[in-house]
Amino acid sequence: MLSLPFDPLQRTKAVEELVMEGLSRKYYRFRPARYYGGIATADLVGCPFLCAYCWNYARNLHPELSRDRYYSPDEVAKRLLAIMKRERFNKVRLSGAEPILGEQSFEHLHKVLEGIYKANPVCDFILETNGLLIGYEPELVHRLSQFERLAVRVSLKGFDEGSFESISGSNGKYFNLPIKGLKNLIRSGINGWPAIMYETFGPEGIGKINKTLMEYGIRPEELEIEYLEPYPFVLENLKKRSISLRTQ
Ligand code: SF4
């Protein structure tokens, strides 16, 4: 039984062991998606966080229970390239969980990127991450900088230690790591930007995170604001953690 708050660096190791087999990783879906004007999407299993609003909550709570299969980097790249070709998209992403859990999952991701760019050097790969590992291990960011058309969206879970802890389930002392990860990306010349969920920040939280971003040398106008999908289980999880939503 997972008790909150947990240490996300410990949890990421445990989760990586559950969702990786050699360089193959568990995925549960490959699909075309409407976001970013149309994008080929591979949905992963496994995340060190357990956000109250995660739409993939059950799988990320118990990745060991999912019956999804493991895919090699080559299989993932081929499936995504096939969706791009069929749908006439030029964008591709990984979603549903965290792509970077540690060294093994990073190697998997790196090989997926190599496979995609070998076949289609001009597509845009959007990496959606919670930023934890790229803040903890800057060397990973350096290795991503070889992919010129890679863009990285870092989803920030809170505007201070308390809000980070209640949303992500992780100990609040790790609040700064995703922001450091974003700074590492920008320093390495990678197109990276922060994203937040409006209803859990509100205007006051947005003001606070903008101030923190500026302290890290990140321009606040880069902040992407997304809005909550109010699935019943999401509202229930938010209620269990006593998180109130801002609507204005
Ligand atoms: S970081 Fe993303 S995938 Fe992970 S639990 Fe939070 S919302 Fe879900």
Side-chain angles (χ1 to χ4, degrees):
M1 173 109 177
L2 184 67
S3 56
L4 275 53
F6 50 80
D7 184 315
L9 293 178
Q10 282 178 12
R11 181 165 151 79
T12 204
K13 281 188 192 149
V15 169
E16 187 171 58
E17 281 178 21
L18 295 170
V19 300
M20 295 295 301
E21 235 180 38
L23 285 187
S24 295
R25 178 158 182 178
K26 261 190 187 181
Y27 285 76
Y28 70 94
R29 192 169 54 173
F30 294 85
R31 61 185 166 122
R34 62 188 158 87
Y35 305 101
Y36 304 101
I39 188 162
T41 300
D43 288 309
L44 300 150
V45 180
C47 183
F49 290 174
L50 191 61
C51 300
Y53 55 63
C54 184
W55 53 268
N56 202 12
Y57 192 93
R59 267 196 183 81
N60 287 331
L61 175 60
H62 287 300
E64 72 282 12
L65 297 183
S66 91
R67 293 189 186 163
D68 310 295
R69 60 165 276 219
Y70 294 85
Y71 292 83
S72 70
D74 192 42
E75 284 176 295
V76 175
K78 279 188 177 140
R79 281 178 176 249
L80 287 169
L81 287 160
I83 295 171
M84 272 198 286
K85 190 172 176 194
R86 192 181 70 223
E87 304 290 335
R88 300 183 181 201
F89 291 163
N90 199 37
K91 295 193 185 87
V92 58
R93 70 171 177 160
L94 304 184
S95 188
E98 172 55 42
I100 308 172
L101 300 166
E103 190 59 37
Q104 216 177 344
S105 50
F106 183 84
E107 278 304 325
H108 170 89
L109 167 68
H110 200 271
K111 287 190 179 304
V112 171
L113 281 159
E114 284 177 337
I116 296 272
Y117 280 117
K118 194 171 168 198
N120 184 348
V122 294
C123 72
D124 294 312
F125 195 115
I126 297 171
L127 181 64
E128 296 181 338
T129 176
N130 60 38
L132 182 79
L133 263 287
I134 55 171
Y136 185 63
E137 296 195 21
E139 173 57 20
L140 299 182
V141 173
H142 179 66
R143 290 170 61 196
L144 288 176
S145 62
Q146 75 182 88
F147 302 105
E148 284 176 16
R149 295 187 69 103
L150 174 68
V152 185
R153 176 185 187 269
V154 181
S155 176
L156 303 177
K157 305 302 175 187
F159 46 84
D160 58 16
E161 290 191 5
S163 57
F164 170 83
E165 184 167 301
S166 59
I167 291 290
S168 71
S170 304
N171 191 306
K173 72 180 181 182
Y174 294 105
F175 161 68
N176 285 319
L177 272 188
I179 303 171
K180 281 186 188 159
L182 181 56
K183 188 173 178 180
N184 292 338
L185 289 168
I186 294 167
R187 263 196 191 150
S188 298
I190 297 173
N191 176 17
W193 71 96
I196 59 116
M197 183 72 76
Y198 181 81
E199 290 86 345
T200 58
F201 276 62
E204 196 191 338
I206 291 173
K208 285 184 180 172
I209 198 67
N210 279 342
K211 190 164 173 283
T212 305
L213 289 171
M214 279 195 285
E215 284 165 9
Y216 277 82
I218 299 164
R219 296 203 319 255
E221 57 269 28
E222 306 273 306
L223 188 68
E224 176 189 328
I225 296 178
E226 64 173 329
Y227 295 90
L228 191 79
E229 297 274 5
Y231 300 114
F233 71 91
V234 164
L235 297 178
E236 186 60 33
N237 285 336
L238 287 161
K239 196 172 158 195
K240 277 188 204 156
R241 294 200 201 165
S242 307
I243 297 165
S244 47
L245 298 178
R246 281 77 161 184
T247 50
Q248 293 191 337

